[in-house]
Amino acid sequence: MDARTQGPLAPDHVVDLVRVLDAVRSGRASTRPELAQATGLGRNVVTQRVARLMDSGLLVEGPPLRSTGGRAPRALRFPADAGRMLVAELGATSIGAAVSDLEGTLLAQYEEDADVTMGPVTVLTRVAEVFDELLQQLGAGAPIWGLGIGLPGPVEFATGRPVAPPIMPGWDGFDVRAFFAGRFQAPVWVDNDVNVMALGELRSGQAKGLRDVVYVKIGSGIGAGLVSQGVLHRGAQGCAGDIGHVIVEEGSTVLCRCGKFGCLEALAGGAALGRDGETAAREGDSAYLADLLASGDTIDARAVSEAAIHGDPVAIKLLAASARLVGQTLARIVNFFNPSLILVGGGVSEAGDYYLAEVRQTVIGRSLPLATRSLQIVRSGLSDRAGLRGAAHMVMDALLSPEILPTWLDQGTPAGRAELAAQ
Protein backbone atom coordinates (compact mmCIF):
# COMPACT_ATOMS: atom_id res chain seq x y z
CA MET A 1 0.00 0.00 0.00
CA ASP A 2 1.61 3.32 -1.07
CA ALA A 3 1.46 6.69 0.67
CA ARG A 4 -1.56 7.83 -1.32
CA THR A 5 -3.80 5.23 0.32
CA GLN A 6 -2.53 5.29 3.87
CA GLY A 7 -4.95 7.90 5.18
CA PRO A 8 -4.36 10.87 7.50
CA LEU A 9 -1.10 11.08 9.38
CA ALA A 10 -0.99 11.08 13.16
CA PRO A 11 0.73 14.19 14.59
CA ASP A 12 3.67 12.20 15.95
CA HIS A 13 4.17 10.58 12.55
CA VAL A 14 4.33 14.02 10.95
CA VAL A 15 7.01 15.11 13.42
CA ASP A 16 9.00 11.95 12.65
CA LEU A 17 8.77 12.58 8.90
CA VAL A 18 10.01 16.13 9.33
CA ARG A 19 12.92 14.96 11.48
CA VAL A 20 13.93 12.33 8.93
CA LEU A 21 13.72 14.79 6.06
CA ASP A 22 15.69 17.41 7.95
CA ALA A 23 18.45 14.93 8.77
CA VAL A 24 18.83 13.94 5.11
CA ARG A 25 18.56 17.48 3.72
CA SER A 26 21.10 18.84 6.20
CA GLY A 27 23.59 16.07 5.43
CA ARG A 28 23.59 14.73 8.98
CA ALA A 29 22.47 11.29 7.76
CA SER A 30 22.19 9.47 4.44
CA THR A 31 21.42 5.85 5.40
CA ARG A 32 18.76 4.27 7.56
CA PRO A 33 21.23 3.36 10.37
CA GLU A 34 22.57 6.93 10.32
CA LEU A 35 19.01 8.26 10.46
CA ALA A 36 18.25 6.18 13.54
CA GLN A 37 21.33 7.61 15.24
CA ALA A 38 20.72 11.22 14.10
CA THR A 39 17.00 11.34 14.97
CA GLY A 40 16.85 9.03 17.98
CA LEU A 41 14.06 7.04 16.33
CA GLY A 42 13.95 3.26 16.40
CA ARG A 43 15.09 1.40 13.29
CA ASN A 44 11.61 0.08 12.53
CA VAL A 45 10.16 3.57 12.81
CA VAL A 46 12.89 4.93 10.55
CA THR A 47 12.17 2.21 7.99
CA GLN A 48 8.45 3.05 8.02
CA ARG A 49 8.97 6.82 7.75
CA VAL A 50 11.51 6.44 4.96
CA ALA A 51 9.10 4.22 3.05
CA ARG A 52 6.36 6.82 3.35
CA LEU A 53 8.65 9.59 2.15
CA MET A 54 9.87 7.47 -0.76
CA ASP A 55 6.28 6.70 -1.77
CA SER A 56 5.62 10.44 -1.86
CA GLY A 57 8.78 11.13 -3.85
CA LEU A 58 10.49 13.18 -1.11
CA LEU A 59 13.32 10.69 -0.69
CA VAL A 60 15.04 8.62 -3.35
CA GLU A 61 17.38 5.70 -2.88
CA GLY A 62 20.76 5.26 -4.52
CA PRO A 63 22.78 2.12 -5.28
CA PRO A 64 24.16 0.02 -2.39
CA LEU A 65 27.15 1.45 -0.54
CA ARG A 66 30.18 -0.56 0.47
CA SER A 67 29.25 -3.01 3.22
CA THR A 68 31.08 -3.07 6.53
CA GLY A 69 29.44 -6.38 7.41
CA GLY A 70 25.92 -7.59 6.71
CA ARG A 71 23.57 -6.08 4.15
CA ALA A 72 25.03 -3.10 2.31
CA PRO A 73 23.16 0.11 3.18
CA ARG A 74 21.66 2.35 0.50
CA ALA A 75 22.16 6.10 0.50
CA LEU A 76 19.09 8.29 0.63
CA ARG A 77 18.84 11.79 -0.80
CA PHE A 78 16.31 14.56 -1.17
CA PRO A 79 15.43 15.01 -4.88
CA ALA A 80 16.43 18.66 -5.35
CA ASP A 81 15.51 18.50 -9.03
CA ALA A 82 11.88 17.49 -8.39
CA GLY A 83 10.74 21.12 -8.38
CA ARG A 84 11.84 24.69 -8.92
CA MET A 85 11.41 27.83 -6.87
CA LEU A 86 11.19 31.45 -7.91
CA VAL A 87 13.03 33.77 -5.53
CA ALA A 88 13.60 37.52 -5.46
CA GLU A 89 15.35 40.05 -3.26
CA LEU A 90 14.33 43.69 -3.50
CA GLY A 91 16.56 46.50 -2.31
CA ALA A 92 16.04 50.24 -2.24
CA THR A 93 17.77 50.63 -5.60
CA SER A 94 17.88 47.15 -7.15
CA ILE A 95 16.05 43.90 -7.70
CA GLY A 96 17.60 40.46 -7.88
CA ALA A 97 15.71 37.38 -9.02
CA ALA A 98 16.53 33.74 -9.58
CA VAL A 99 15.21 30.26 -10.23
CA SER A 100 16.53 27.69 -7.77
CA ASP A 101 16.22 23.99 -7.19
CA LEU A 102 14.73 22.63 -3.98
CA GLU A 103 18.05 22.86 -2.11
CA GLY A 104 18.54 26.55 -2.86
CA THR A 105 21.08 26.10 -5.66
CA LEU A 106 20.58 28.96 -8.11
CA LEU A 107 19.97 27.65 -11.62
CA ALA A 108 19.65 31.09 -13.23
CA GLN A 109 19.74 34.59 -11.78
CA TYR A 110 19.52 38.24 -12.84
CA GLU A 111 19.96 41.65 -11.21
CA GLU A 112 19.17 45.17 -12.37
CA ASP A 113 18.84 48.66 -10.95
CA ALA A 114 15.35 49.56 -9.78
CA ASP A 115 13.66 52.18 -7.63
CA VAL A 116 11.48 50.69 -4.92
CA THR A 117 9.67 54.04 -4.54
CA MET A 118 8.01 53.42 -7.94
CA GLY A 119 5.45 51.40 -6.00
CA PRO A 120 4.49 47.74 -5.66
CA VAL A 121 2.65 47.20 -8.93
CA THR A 122 5.43 48.64 -11.09
CA VAL A 123 8.27 46.94 -9.22
CA LEU A 124 6.62 43.55 -8.75
CA THR A 125 5.41 43.45 -12.33
CA ARG A 126 9.03 43.80 -13.40
CA VAL A 127 10.03 41.01 -10.99
CA ALA A 128 7.36 38.76 -12.52
CA GLU A 129 8.68 39.57 -16.00
CA VAL A 130 12.18 38.60 -14.91
CA PHE A 131 10.86 35.33 -13.50
CA ASP A 132 9.24 34.56 -16.86
CA GLU A 133 12.47 35.40 -18.69
CA LEU A 134 14.53 33.15 -16.43
CA LEU A 135 12.08 30.26 -16.80
CA GLN A 136 12.18 30.67 -20.57
CA GLN A 137 15.97 30.71 -20.45
CA LEU A 138 16.02 27.41 -18.53
CA GLY A 139 13.39 25.76 -20.71
CA ALA A 140 10.84 23.15 -19.72
CA GLY A 141 11.51 21.47 -16.42
CA ALA A 142 10.16 20.61 -13.00
CA PRO A 143 7.03 22.40 -11.69
CA ILE A 144 7.17 25.51 -9.52
CA TRP A 145 6.85 24.52 -5.87
CA GLY A 146 6.78 28.02 -4.42
CA LEU A 147 8.01 31.60 -4.42
CA GLY A 148 10.13 33.44 -1.85
CA ILE A 149 10.37 37.24 -1.78
CA GLY A 150 12.58 39.47 0.39
CA LEU A 151 11.53 43.12 0.87
CA PRO A 152 13.60 46.05 2.25
CA GLY A 153 11.24 46.89 5.10
CA PRO A 154 9.15 45.44 7.95
CA VAL A 155 6.99 42.51 6.85
CA GLU A 156 4.23 40.82 8.81
CA PHE A 157 5.37 37.28 8.14
CA ALA A 158 2.01 35.63 8.74
CA THR A 159 0.35 37.61 5.93
CA GLY A 160 3.31 38.48 3.73
CA ARG A 161 2.35 42.17 3.76
CA PRO A 162 4.78 45.05 4.33
CA VAL A 163 3.77 47.27 7.26
CA ALA A 164 4.63 50.99 7.15
CA PRO A 165 7.99 50.42 5.40
CA PRO A 166 9.98 53.68 5.74
CA ILE A 167 11.69 53.56 2.34
CA MET A 168 8.77 52.05 0.40
CA PRO A 169 6.01 54.62 -0.11
CA GLY A 170 2.79 53.07 -1.39
CA TRP A 171 3.69 49.55 -0.21
CA ASP A 172 1.98 49.61 3.19
CA GLY A 173 -0.36 46.61 3.43
CA PHE A 174 0.12 45.57 -0.20
CA ASP A 175 -0.71 41.88 -0.72
CA VAL A 176 2.55 40.69 -2.25
CA ARG A 177 1.53 37.08 -1.75
CA ALA A 178 -1.66 37.41 -3.78
CA PHE A 179 0.14 39.34 -6.53
CA PHE A 180 2.47 36.42 -7.29
CA ALA A 181 0.18 33.53 -6.32
CA GLY A 182 -2.32 34.54 -8.99
CA ARG A 183 0.35 34.72 -11.67
CA PHE A 184 2.30 31.55 -10.93
CA GLN A 185 -0.29 29.34 -9.19
CA ALA A 186 2.09 28.49 -6.36
CA PRO A 187 2.38 29.29 -2.64
CA VAL A 188 4.28 32.49 -1.79
CA TRP A 189 6.20 33.51 1.32
CA VAL A 190 7.46 37.05 1.96
CA ASP A 191 9.92 38.29 4.58
CA ASN A 192 12.25 41.16 5.37
CA ASP A 193 15.33 41.11 3.13
CA VAL A 194 17.80 40.85 6.01
CA ASN A 195 15.99 37.85 7.46
CA VAL A 196 16.32 35.94 4.19
CA MET A 197 20.00 36.95 3.98
CA ALA A 198 20.57 35.57 7.47
CA LEU A 199 18.76 32.37 6.52
CA GLY A 200 20.90 32.02 3.39
CA GLU A 201 24.10 32.27 5.44
CA LEU A 202 22.70 29.89 8.07
CA ARG A 203 21.92 27.15 5.56
CA SER A 204 24.50 27.68 2.83
CA GLY A 205 27.21 30.00 4.10
CA GLN A 206 29.55 30.89 6.92
CA ALA A 207 26.90 30.50 9.63
CA LYS A 208 26.12 26.89 8.75
CA GLY A 209 26.18 24.73 11.85
CA LEU A 210 26.27 27.70 14.24
CA ARG A 211 23.61 28.42 16.84
CA ASP A 212 23.68 32.16 17.60
CA VAL A 213 24.43 34.54 14.76
CA VAL A 214 23.74 38.13 13.74
CA TYR A 215 23.64 39.17 10.08
CA VAL A 216 23.76 42.94 9.64
CA LYS A 217 23.10 44.59 6.29
CA ILE A 218 24.52 48.08 5.82
CA GLY A 219 23.08 49.48 2.61
CA SER A 220 20.75 52.37 1.92
CA GLY A 221 19.13 51.27 5.16
CA ILE A 222 20.44 49.18 8.03
CA GLY A 223 18.90 46.02 9.47
CA ALA A 224 19.85 42.80 11.22
CA GLY A 225 18.76 39.18 11.00
CA LEU A 226 18.97 37.18 14.23
CA VAL A 227 19.63 33.45 14.48
CA SER A 228 18.96 32.07 17.96
CA GLN A 229 19.65 28.43 18.86
CA GLY A 230 19.98 27.60 15.16
CA VAL A 231 16.62 29.09 14.20
CA LEU A 232 15.83 32.40 12.51
CA HIS A 233 14.21 34.64 15.12
CA ARG A 234 11.49 36.83 13.58
CA GLY A 235 9.79 37.99 16.75
CA ALA A 236 6.08 38.21 17.50
CA GLN A 237 5.09 40.11 14.34
CA GLY A 238 8.16 39.58 12.18
CA CYS A 239 10.17 42.77 12.79
CA ALA A 240 12.90 41.51 15.13
CA GLY A 241 16.30 42.94 14.28
CA ASP A 242 15.18 46.28 12.85
CA ILE A 243 18.21 48.05 14.33
CA GLY A 244 18.23 50.82 11.73
CA HIS A 245 15.67 52.70 13.78
CA VAL A 246 17.47 52.51 17.10
CA ILE A 247 18.17 56.06 18.33
CA VAL A 248 21.95 56.53 18.41
CA GLU A 249 22.11 60.31 18.89
CA GLU A 250 19.72 61.98 21.30
CA GLY A 251 18.87 65.53 20.30
CA SER A 252 19.86 64.95 16.68
CA THR A 253 18.19 67.16 14.09
CA VAL A 254 18.64 64.55 11.34
CA LEU A 255 15.21 63.26 10.36
CA CYS A 256 14.96 59.57 9.51
CA ARG A 257 12.64 58.22 6.83
CA CYS A 258 10.66 56.57 9.63
CA GLY A 259 9.71 60.03 10.94
CA LYS A 260 11.96 60.02 14.01
CA PHE A 261 15.23 61.84 14.68
CA GLY A 262 18.68 60.42 15.31
CA CYS A 263 18.15 56.86 14.01
CA LEU A 264 21.16 54.71 13.15
CA GLU A 265 20.02 54.45 9.52
CA ALA A 266 19.63 58.22 9.19
CA LEU A 267 23.15 58.84 10.47
CA ALA A 268 25.16 55.85 9.25
CA GLY A 269 23.36 54.18 6.32
CA GLY A 270 24.19 54.45 2.65
CA ALA A 271 21.70 57.27 2.07
CA ALA A 272 23.28 59.19 4.95
CA LEU A 273 26.76 58.76 3.48
CA GLY A 274 25.54 60.04 0.13
CA ARG A 275 23.84 63.02 1.76
CA ASP A 276 26.87 63.98 3.83
CA GLY A 277 29.22 63.34 0.93
CA GLU A 278 27.25 65.65 -1.34
CA THR A 279 27.29 68.34 1.34
CA ALA A 280 31.07 68.00 1.60
CA ALA A 281 31.35 68.27 -2.18
CA ARG A 282 29.17 71.37 -2.43
CA GLU A 283 30.94 73.13 0.45
CA GLY A 284 34.36 72.36 -0.99
CA ASP A 285 35.52 70.23 1.95
CA SER A 286 36.31 67.26 -0.31
CA ALA A 287 38.17 68.00 -3.52
CA TYR A 288 37.65 64.46 -4.83
CA LEU A 289 33.88 64.49 -4.29
CA ALA A 290 33.65 68.06 -5.61
CA ASP A 291 35.28 66.92 -8.84
CA LEU A 292 32.83 64.03 -9.15
CA LEU A 293 29.89 66.36 -8.59
CA ALA A 294 31.23 68.87 -11.12
CA SER A 295 31.50 66.12 -13.74
CA GLY A 296 27.82 65.24 -13.27
CA ASP A 297 28.26 62.12 -11.15
CA THR A 298 25.85 61.33 -8.32
CA ILE A 299 27.35 61.49 -4.85
CA ASP A 300 26.16 58.32 -3.15
CA ALA A 301 27.67 55.81 -0.74
CA ARG A 302 29.60 54.18 -3.56
CA ALA A 303 31.16 57.52 -4.52
CA VAL A 304 32.16 58.16 -0.90
CA SER A 305 33.78 54.71 -0.75
CA GLU A 306 35.63 55.40 -3.99
CA ALA A 307 36.88 58.71 -2.61
CA ALA A 308 38.07 57.00 0.56
CA ILE A 309 39.98 54.39 -1.45
CA HIS A 310 41.74 57.28 -3.21
CA GLY A 311 42.76 58.69 0.17
CA ASP A 312 40.23 61.53 0.47
CA PRO A 313 40.34 62.46 4.20
CA VAL A 314 36.73 63.68 4.36
CA ALA A 315 35.39 60.46 2.83
CA ILE A 316 37.51 58.39 5.21
CA LYS A 317 36.15 60.40 8.13
CA LEU A 318 32.53 59.85 6.97
CA LEU A 319 33.01 56.10 6.64
CA ALA A 320 34.75 55.87 10.00
CA ALA A 321 31.89 57.73 11.70
CA SER A 322 29.36 55.37 10.08
CA ALA A 323 31.34 52.30 11.14
CA ARG A 324 31.60 53.51 14.73
CA LEU A 325 27.85 54.10 15.01
CA VAL A 326 27.15 50.66 13.57
CA GLY A 327 29.72 49.15 15.94
CA GLN A 328 28.17 50.87 18.97
CA THR A 329 24.76 49.47 18.08
CA LEU A 330 26.15 46.00 17.48
CA ALA A 331 27.95 46.14 20.84
CA ARG A 332 24.57 46.45 22.55
CA ILE A 333 23.38 43.38 20.67
CA VAL A 334 26.55 41.48 21.58
CA ASN A 335 26.12 42.23 25.29
CA PHE A 336 22.43 41.34 25.18
CA PHE A 337 22.41 38.40 22.75
CA ASN A 338 25.98 36.98 22.91
CA PRO A 339 26.34 35.67 19.34
CA SER A 340 29.36 33.68 18.18
CA LEU A 341 29.38 35.29 14.73
CA ILE A 342 28.44 38.64 13.21
CA LEU A 343 28.25 38.67 9.43
CA VAL A 344 28.37 42.07 7.75
CA GLY A 345 26.81 42.54 4.30
CA GLY A 346 25.36 45.27 2.12
CA GLY A 347 26.94 47.80 -0.19
CA VAL A 348 28.46 50.02 2.51
CA SER A 349 30.29 47.07 4.06
CA GLU A 350 32.27 46.75 0.82
CA ALA A 351 33.82 50.20 1.34
CA GLY A 352 37.13 48.61 2.30
CA ASP A 353 38.79 46.58 5.02
CA TYR A 354 39.11 49.64 7.24
CA TYR A 355 35.31 49.93 7.49
CA LEU A 356 34.99 46.40 8.87
CA ALA A 357 38.05 46.95 11.06
CA GLU A 358 36.44 50.06 12.59
CA VAL A 359 33.21 48.14 13.25
CA ARG A 360 35.16 45.30 14.84
CA GLN A 361 37.27 47.58 17.01
CA THR A 362 34.21 49.47 18.27
CA VAL A 363 32.29 46.28 19.09
CA ILE A 364 35.20 44.79 21.02
CA GLY A 365 35.90 48.05 22.83
CA ARG A 366 32.29 48.44 23.98
CA SER A 367 31.35 44.83 24.79
CA LEU A 368 32.02 42.63 27.78
CA PRO A 369 35.19 40.52 27.47
CA LEU A 370 33.29 37.27 27.92
CA ALA A 371 30.84 38.19 25.15
CA THR A 372 33.67 38.78 22.66
CA ARG A 373 36.00 35.98 23.75
CA SER A 374 35.22 33.83 20.70
CA LEU A 375 33.21 36.35 18.66
CA GLN A 376 34.01 36.59 14.96
CA ILE A 377 33.03 39.66 12.92
CA VAL A 378 33.51 39.00 9.21
CA ARG A 379 32.14 40.08 5.85
CA SER A 380 29.35 37.94 4.39
CA GLY A 381 30.74 35.38 1.96
CA LEU A 382 27.58 34.85 -0.09
CA SER A 383 27.35 38.52 -1.09
CA ASP A 384 24.32 39.12 -3.35
CA ARG A 385 23.40 35.42 -3.31
CA ALA A 386 22.61 35.30 0.42
CA GLY A 387 19.11 36.73 0.07
CA LEU A 388 18.20 34.66 -2.97
CA ARG A 389 19.36 31.40 -1.43
CA GLY A 390 17.76 32.34 1.87
CA ALA A 391 14.42 32.99 0.14
CA ALA A 392 14.56 29.48 -1.33
CA HIS A 393 15.25 27.95 2.09
CA MET A 394 12.39 30.00 3.54
CA VAL A 395 9.98 28.39 1.07
CA MET A 396 11.22 24.86 1.68
CA ASP A 397 11.20 25.32 5.46
CA ALA A 398 7.53 26.26 5.21
CA LEU A 399 6.56 23.51 2.78
CA LEU A 400 8.28 20.83 4.88
CA SER A 401 7.01 22.13 8.22
CA PRO A 402 4.77 19.92 10.42
CA GLU A 403 1.86 22.30 9.75
CA ILE A 404 1.99 22.24 5.94
CA LEU A 405 3.69 18.99 4.89
CA PRO A 406 0.67 16.73 5.68
CA THR A 407 -1.61 18.84 3.46
CA TRP A 408 0.26 17.94 0.26
CA LEU A 409 2.38 14.88 1.10
CA ASP A 410 0.00 12.39 -0.50
CA GLN A 411 0.00 14.36 -3.76
CA GLY A 412 3.79 14.32 -3.87
CA THR A 413 4.05 17.99 -4.84
CA PRO A 414 2.78 21.38 -3.60
CA ALA A 415 2.75 22.77 -7.15
CA GLY A 416 -0.51 24.54 -7.94
CA ARG A 417 -1.44 24.85 -4.25
CA ALA A 418 -1.20 28.61 -3.73
CA GLU A 419 -3.43 28.35 -0.66
CA LEU A 420 -0.74 26.53 1.31
CA ALA A 421 0.99 29.78 2.26
CA ALA A 422 -2.10 30.93 4.12
CA GLN A 423 -1.63 28.06 6.58
Side-chain angles (χ1 to χ4, degrees), residues 266-402:
L267 295 171
L273 285 170
R275 177 197 66 220
D276 295 342
E278 182 172 342
T279 298
R282 293 190 182 282
E283 294 180 353
D285 295 331
S286 167
Y288 190 96
L289 293 174
D291 287 344
L292 287 180
L293 189 63
S295 64
D297 290 340
T298 299
I299 305 300
D300 54 13
R302 186 175 301 174
V304 173
S305 298
E306 180 184 331
I309 290 171
H310 284 82
D312 183 84
V314 171
I316 292 172
K317 182 179 179 181
L318 290 176
L319 286 169
S322 167
R324 281 194 294 272
L325 287 175
V326 170
Q328 290 169 19
T329 305
L330 288 176
R332 297 186 182 106
I333 294 175
V334 167
N335 285 328
F336 177 77
F337 182 54
N338 190 200
S340 62
L341 175 67
I342 295 178
L343 289 165
V344 184
V348 175
S349 72
E350 299 171 2
D353 291 340
Y354 53 86
Y355 189 94
L356 187 62
E358 189 72 46
V359 170
R360 187 183 292 118
Q361 181 177 341
T362 304
V363 170
I364 292 173
R366 289 175 170 263
S367 303
L368 294 171
L370 181 59
T372 58
R373 177 182 293 174
S374 60
L375 175 65
Q376 290 186 296
I377 304 174
V378 298
R379 188 173 289 113
S380 169
L382 289 181
S383 185
D384 60 340
R385 295 168 294 151
L388 295 174
R389 299 191 71 167
H393 289 298
M394 170 177 66
V395 173
M396 288 309 299
D397 284 354
L399 289 173
L400 301 181
S401 67

Side-chain angles (χ1 to χ4, degrees), residues 56-358:
S56 298
L58 291 180
L59 286 180
V60 293
E61 196 171 47
L65 301 174
R66 179 177 297 178
S67 175
T68 57
R71 177 187 292 183
R74 290 178 180 267
L76 298 162
R77 67 175 180 86
F78 179 72
D81 56 353
R84 291 175 173 175
M85 290 181 287
L86 304 179
V87 293
E89 179 188 0
L90 280 62
T93 58
S94 66
I95 57 172
V99 180
S100 84
D101 68 10
L102 301 183
E103 288 183 339
T105 300
L106 304 182
L107 307 175
Q109 70 180 100
Y110 176 79
E111 184 176 353
E112 69 180 28
D113 292 338
D115 184 356
V116 76
T117 65
M118 295 297 290
V121 174
T122 298
V123 174
L124 296 181
T125 296
R126 179 56 187 149
V127 173
E129 291 171 353
V130 172
F131 282 153
D132 288 333
E133 292 164 7
L134 292 174
L135 288 170
Q136 186 175 11
Q137 173 185 325
L138 288 171
I144 298 171
W145 277 32
L147 287 82
I149 312 294
L151 298 180
V155 175
E156 185 179 44
F157 187 70
T159 65
R161 296 173 184 261
V163 179
I167 67 170
M168 303 170 69
W171 288 75
D172 185 28
F174 187 83
D175 196 343
V176 179
R177 177 179 291 166
F179 181 93
F180 286 110
R183 283 162 174 76
F184 295 98
Q185 301 303 308
V188 181
W189 283 270
V190 187
D191 202 353
N192 173 266
D193 60 344
V194 189
N195 279 346
V196 295
M197 290 175 183
L199 193 55
E201 286 284 2
L202 177 65
R203 298 298 171 75
S204 308
Q206 292 158 283
K208 189 171 184 178
L210 299 182
R211 304 279 288 169
D212 300 289
V213 178
V214 175
Y215 183 104
V216 57
K217 176 190 176 185
I218 313 167
S220 297
I222 299 176
L226 308 178
V227 174
S228 177
Q229 295 297 294
V231 177
L232 181 66
H233 176 72
R234 293 187 173 93
Q237 272 71 47
C239 65
D242 200 351
I243 64 171
H245 303 287
V246 171
I247 304 299
V248 294
E249 188 177 299
E250 293 290 348
S252 172
T253 59
V254 179
L255 180 65
C256 182
R257 289 176 287 194
C258 72
K260 299 179 178 65
F261 292 91
C263 293
L264 175 65
E265 179 177 303
L267 295 171
L273 285 170
R275 177 197 66 220
D276 295 342
E278 182 172 342
T279 298
R282 293 190 182 282
E283 294 180 353
D285 295 331
S286 167
Y288 190 96
L289 293 174
D291 287 344
L292 287 180
L293 189 63
S295 64
D297 290 340
T298 299
I299 305 300
D300 54 13
R302 186 175 301 174
V304 173
S305 298
E306 180 184 331
I309 290 171
H310 284 82
D312 183 84
V314 171
I316 292 172
K317 182 179 179 181
L318 290 176
L319 286 169
S322 167
R324 281 194 294 272
L325 287 175
V326 170
Q328 290 169 19
T329 305
L330 288 176
R332 297 186 182 106
I333 294 175
V334 167
N335 285 328
F336 177 77
F337 182 54
N338 190 200
S340 62
L341 175 67
I342 295 178
L343 289 165
V344 184
V348 175
S349 72
E350 299 171 2
D353 291 340
Y354 53 86
Y355 189 94
L356 187 62
E358 189 72 46

